[in-house]
Amino acid sequence: MHLGIIGQAAGLFAVTNVDDILILSLFFARGAGHRGSARRIVLGQYLGFAAILAVAIAAAFGATFLPESAIPYLGLLPLALGLKAAWQAWKHRDDEDDEQQTAEGGAKALEVAAVTFANGGDNIGVYVPVFATAGVGGMSVYTSVFLILVAVWCFAGRFFATRPVIAKALSRWGHIVLPLVLIALGLLILAEGGAFGL
């Protein structure tokens, strides 16, 4: 297995899921002291992320039927999502952060899954062109690394839930980093594929 693709997969997962650490931290913080809460949160995170992967993989298989010269233009998806996220961050720069609502005994697995999936639109937009260009072998490496890193993210979310200063910093800067990374990724896909004569 090529270490380069593992590193790329890890990097891609990290930049597209920065905001998930904050959400997981909030879920873990609210579930503290409730029996079985951590297990439900982890299960929900896996269910939501599996749904994101299923949609991205299905779309990527559809994308392989496009002419090869059209695939680099899929970089427009993360570019557009990054620009939209940057606009939303700019538009709401003075707003207070909304907290995730959870049940009294901590979050339910399906609640976490729903939040994960709903928060994964940017993931799908980025993963589709990457999966479409990676082929079946590369896609299996990406998904394997992603599923392993979901566990790491859950551990990190639980860790950060007990450190409010770190969670606050992620809340403050995550909305700036994500749009920049999506824009850069979109431009990279366009440039590497030679779209628009780049």
Side-chain angles (χ1 to χ4, degrees), residues 11 18 43 52 56 72 99 110:
V18 166
L43 175 62
I52 290 168
E99 293 185 6
L110 289 179

Side-chain angles (χ1 to χ4, degrees), residues 24-148:
L24 283 168
S25 296
L26 291 170
F27 278 133
F28 280 117
R30 289 205 174 171
H34 298 284
R35 186 178 175 142
S37 178
R39 184 175 57 246
R40 290 190 304 270
I41 293 167
V42 171
L43 175 62
Q45 184 69 11
Y46 267 102
L47 288 173
F49 199 79
I52 290 168
L53 286 177
V55 170
I57 289 169
F61 276 119
T64 60
F65 295 109
L66 293 173
E68 196 167 317
S69 60
I71 291 176
Y73 292 96
L74 292 175
L76 292 171
L77 290 171
L79 179 61
L81 289 168
L83 292 171
K84 180 182 175 188
W87 171 249
Q88 292 298 322
W90 174 258
K91 194 166 98 171
H92 299 291
R93 64 190 177 278
D94 296 326
D95 294 353
E96 293 288 325
D97 289 334
D98 293 328
E99 293 185 6
Q100 299 294 327
Q101 297 296 320
T102 60
E104 181 65 27
K108 306 280 189 264
L110 289 179
E111 292 171 340
V112 176
V115 170
T116 301
F117 186 75
N119 194 38
D122 59 331
N123 299 49
I124 294 168
V126 173
Y127 297 166
V128 170
V130 172
F131 287 177
T133 57
V136 175
M139 197 182 314
S140 64
V141 174
Y142 274 99
T143 56
S144 298
V145 171
F146 287 178
L147 291 173
I148 291 167

Side-chain angles (χ1 to χ4, degrees), residues 20-42 45 149-164 166-167 170:
D20 282 355
I21 290 181
L22 175 61
I23 293 168
L24 283 168
S25 296
L26 291 170
F27 278 133
F28 280 117
R30 289 205 174 171
H34 298 284
R35 186 178 175 142
S37 178
R39 184 175 57 246
R40 290 190 304 270
I41 293 167
V42 171
Q45 184 69 11
L149 289 176
V150 168
V152 173
W153 246 234
C154 288
F155 176 80
R158 190 167 187 186
F159 177 80
F160 292 140
T162 61
R163 284 138 188 95
I166 296 172
L170 284 173

Side-chain angles (χ1 to χ4, degrees), residues 1-15 130 138 141-142 144-146 149:
M1 197 178 295
H2 192 263
L3 291 179
I5 195 168
I6 293 173
Q8 290 171 359
L12 181 61
F13 180 89
V15 299
V130 172
V141 174
Y142 274 99
S144 298
V145 171
F146 287 178
L149 289 176

